[in-house]
Structures are given as C-alpha cells and as structure tokens.
Amino acid sequence: MSAPFKKLALIGIGLIGSSIALAARRQGLANIIAISTRKQQTLDEARELGLGDVYMLDAIEAVRGADLVILCVPVGAYESVMQAVAPGLEPGAILSDVGSVKGHVVKTLAPLVPKGVSLIPGHPIAGTEHSGPSAGFAELFVGRWCVLTPGAEVDPAKTEKLASFWRSMGSLVEIMDAQHHDMVLAITSHIPHLVAYNIVGTVADLEAATQSEVIKFSASGFRDFTRIAASDPVMWRDVFLTNREAVLEMLGRFSEDLSVLQRAVRTGDGPALETMFTRTRAIRRSIINAGQETAAADFGRPHQAEPVPPVFIPVREHGGGDDA
Ligand code: NAP
C-alpha cells in the first residue's frame, strides 16, 4: 500500500520532531522522511537514532520534493527558517508546524508562503519536559489532541489529509481559529507554566537553609511544579513573547481570583475556600473522565514496597509538621 505522503520533511528534530518521525515511520505515513536541523551535532544524533531516511543541515534541500513539511523549531525561529525554506517549497505541498502559539505563526508564515502551498498550522497538545532528538517516542500523540488552524483559503481536502496524518499517529484532531486556540492555551498551558516558573523561581531566591528544606520536603506539592518548570527555556521564552495578549488577558483574571483567595485566607472565610476547592476537584475529575489524565493516586508514581530504613534527622525548632 502506498503511503499518504511521498516525502515528509521535518525541520527541527527535537522532542516533537523526533516523535513525529518515529510515529510516521511506524504507521507508514511517508515514503521518505527527510530531517534537517541547525546543528551538526543534533543532525548526527538524529542519524544515529535512525529517525529518518535522509539528513541535511540545509533546510531547503530537505523541503525540495516534499508534499508535507512540518516546522518543529521554537516559534521565535520561524521567520528565519521560513525565509530559508520558502524558495524550495513546491506547489501542492502542505506546510504545517507544531508551535505552541498559533496567531503569531500565521502572521509570520503567511506572507512568506509561495503560491500553491497550503499553510495549515498545527499544535499537538502533547509533550514532556525533555528536549532533543533522543527525547521523542512514537506514542507521544496517542489519545492527545492536535489542533489545526487552517485559514479560510485552505482547501478542506488538504486539511482533512493533514488531520488524517495526525489521527494515524493516535491524535484526536480539532479544527479551530488561531486566536481562539491562543486564548484557550493561555489558560490551560501558558499560565500554568508561568505559575510553575514563578513558584520554583521563588524557591531559587530563598536563603540556602530554607531552600534545602524545600527540596527535602518537595513531595508535598512543590515537586509537581518543578516538572513543569524544567521545560525548555527557549521554547517557553518564545511562547510568552508571541502570545503576549492572550497571556496578559488570562493573567489578569488569574490575579483577580488570587486576590479573592488571598482575602478568604486573611479573613478566615472557610466556606469560601471549601467551595472553591470543591469546584477545582470537579475539574480534575472531568479531565480524568475525558481520558486526558490517569485516575491513579499521585499520577501513578511507583511507591516503595518496603519501608525505607529510618534516618536520624535532628529536630529543628521551626521544622516538623506533616504537610503531604
Ligand atoms: P526541542 O526538543 O528543543 O528541539 C528544537 C529543535 O529546533 C531542534 O532541532 C533545534 O535544532 C531546532 N532549533 C532550535 N532553535 C533554532 C533556531 N533558532 N533556528 C533553527 N532551528 C532551531 O524542542 P521541541 O520541544 O521539540 O519543540 C519544538 C516546537 O514544538 C516548538 O515550537 C514548541 O512550541 C512546540 N511544542 C513543544 C511541546 C513540548 O512539550 N516540548 C509540545 C507541543 C508543541 P538544533 O539542536 O540543531 O539547534
């Protein structure tokens, strides 16, 4: 059976690019997978991992003859990457991406898209805090949403072809307006990252003695923020620089709600706190019911079967307390 695409060109081969390469190969979605990246070292790593069929530093060579090109680089690099590949894009090709912000992508890419090429921006809502070609795995997209934001001028058959590509890799596909995507993602992804960066940053600024205690007792909640705050600094810098308006809008609402909580804590308003925490619990339940999270306790982390031998820890005046 022939593959739906004759040549898939992946420009950028980090976590997302390598996961697409592995999933597309496994599902037989392209006859040839061409890989291009900026640094020789990253390209060598991709070759050693066997992620593609052909490898080149020159992105224009990778896109020549490709009927599907996916940009998998940080959003801040789009303009320079697009200027490099545009002359090599062929009529009939689909040009897509995986960037976490969509409005800015359309603004940057659309003016540079050659005639006859269909620009269909995409965003797989799947990821981990790891980066680079060795971080990818073929199952990354299974059961996860991929949002496509084609403009009104795009042939629906092209959009369907790309949607089918993502579905074959296990994704659920939703078509959305780019601005709406940015508003939804600002609250579901961008603000949570900003909050995590802020909490972990606050700890980084604490005096050394307190900081070591935070690390020691981190399982009480802080640890889960550190996973998010370990995400790639360049990628996230670009997200906040390019989705500024939606992030600021949602941050305004977040700050108002935080003030309400602050007041409830200060005035000892137990019913207000309880009402709020009951609503938030219901949201977690609905995410589990939607199959987007595990119901297992503690995110399904393995727990030690045997008690750990006791360690003598001297009691400190300000220490103690069980706050798991
Ligand atoms: P990554 O693992 O850090 O890989 C980034 C890739 O882009 C590498 O091949 C890197 O090449 C290349 N690159 C970096 N800066 C570049 C520049 N200035 N010019 C040209 N190439 C450059 O990143 P990723 O996590 O796969 O993220 C890629 C895209 O996916 C981003 O737009 C991000 O918004 C989006 N995304 C990420 C996640 C996630 O959880 N990570 C989820 C959904 C969407 P070299 O190593 O050769 O420099």
Side-chain angles (χ1 to χ4, degrees), residues 196-207:
Y197 281 126
N198 192 42
I199 290 184
V200 179
T202 302
V203 167
D205 290 341
L206 289 175
E207 61 277 15

Side-chain angles (χ1 to χ4, degrees), residues 19-148:
S19 296
I20 295 176
L22 292 167
R25 164 65 49 79
R26 184 192 274 185
Q27 299 303 322
L29 301 178
N31 294 332
I32 298 176
I33 300 178
I35 289 173
S36 178
T37 190
R38 182 177 55 162
K39 294 186 193 143
Q40 184 65 52
Q41 194 191 339
T42 310
L43 196 67
D44 292 344
E45 208 181 327
R47 190 185 284 114
E48 275 158 34
L49 291 162
L51 295 175
D53 300 297
V54 287
Y55 305 85
M56 57 269 303
L57 287 177
D58 201 356
I60 194 168
E61 289 309 319
V63 306
R64 282 195 210 286
D67 44 358
L68 176 57
V69 175
I70 308 182
L71 307 185
C72 306
V73 298
V75 177
Y78 275 32
E79 195 170 350
S80 59
V81 167
M82 186 58 188
Q83 271 161 353
V85 301
L89 293 171
E90 297 195 358
I94 294 174
L95 171 66
S96 190
D97 79 310
V98 292
S100 310
V101 173
K102 297 274 62 90
H104 173 84
V105 165
V106 176
K107 243 187 270 162
T108 310
L109 298 186
L112 300 169
V113 176
K115 214 166 172 289
V117 172
S118 304
L119 172 64
I120 309 176
H123 177 204
I125 304 175
T128 74
E129 66 278 27
H130 300 298
S131 310
S134 60
F137 51 100
E139 302 77 20
L140 178 64
F141 309 113
V142 176
R144 298 282 166 249
W145 287 97
C146 178
V147 177
L148 301 180

Side-chain angles (χ1 to χ4, degrees), residues 203 206-220 222 313-320:
V203 167
L206 289 175
E207 61 277 15
T210 320
Q211 205 181 90
S212 68
E213 283 188 328
V214 171
I215 290 163
K216 189 162 85 190
F217 298 119
S218 61
S220 56
F222 177 69
I313 301 169
V315 176
R316 298 189 192 177
E317 277 186 8
H318 57 288

Side-chain angles (χ1 to χ4, degrees), residues 212-288:
S212 68
E213 283 188 328
V214 171
I215 290 163
K216 189 162 85 190
F217 298 119
S218 61
S220 56
F222 177 69
R223 180 178 61 177
D224 294 334
F225 283 103
T226 64
R227 185 191 73 74
I228 300 177
S231 300
D232 188 68
V234 172
M235 169 189 154
W236 283 95
R237 176 202 66 192
D238 288 355
V239 166
F240 292 112
L241 292 179
T242 55
N243 197 23
R244 193 183 335 204
E245 277 172 33
V247 166
L248 290 177
E249 158 73 23
M250 287 301 170
L251 203 53
R253 295 184 191 207
F254 175 85
S255 305
E256 279 174 26
D257 292 341
L258 190 61
S259 301
V260 171
L261 277 178
Q262 186 180 15
R263 188 182 159 78
V265 171
R266 185 161 39 80
T267 58
D269 188 347
L273 292 172
E274 200 178 327
T275 304
M276 167 74 158
F277 302 160
T278 305
R279 279 173 59 209
T280 56
R281 215 177 197 194
I283 294 215
R284 176 154 178 88
R285 229 174 281 128
S286 54
I287 292 171
I288 292 166

